Amino acid sequence: MKADTHPDYHMIKVQMTDGTVYETRSTWGKEGDTMTLEIDPLSHPAWTGGRGQMLDAGGQVARFNKRFGGLNLGKK
């Protein structure tokens, strides 16, 4: 095996948007650096399953349904 193929794995601090800080191991930065998150996984809808809203600018969904609404794919 080749020597020095793996990156340095060390302890860093992660600061959430609400100010809480925890330590974890990472290859990011240097030993003791603090990573500040811009998007908090505790409150962002991508991680919490928040309701997404579908914006239909220009009637794209309506046009699709008008064009392909009559197809019965797999329904009997």
Side-chain angles (χ1 to χ4, degrees):
M1 293 197 121
K2 293 181 181 180
D4 300 325
T5 57
H6 296 285
D8 180 32
Y9 200 54
H10 48 271
M11 296 297 289
I12 65 165
K13 294 178 183 175
V14 178
Q15 182 176 2
M16 308 292 268
T17 56
D18 64 356
T20 57
V21 177
Y22 68 92
E23 287 192 31
T24 187
R25 295 183 62 173
S26 176
T27 58
W28 179 86
K30 298 180 296 225
E31 178 81 28
D33 281 354
T34 302
M35 176 187 287
T36 306
L37 297 181
E38 295 176 6
I39 299 175
D40 195 344
L42 299 177
S43 62
H44 195 275
W47 288 278
T48 60
R51 267 186 2 140
Q53 294 183 3
M54 189 168 94
L55 300 176
D56 186 16
Q60 293 292 326
V61 174
R63 192 169 71 184
F64 178 86
N65 288 334
K66 180 180 176 185
R67 195 168 175 193
F68 300 107
L71 294 178
N72 293 327
L73 300 176
K75 293 182 182 177
K76 291 184 179 182

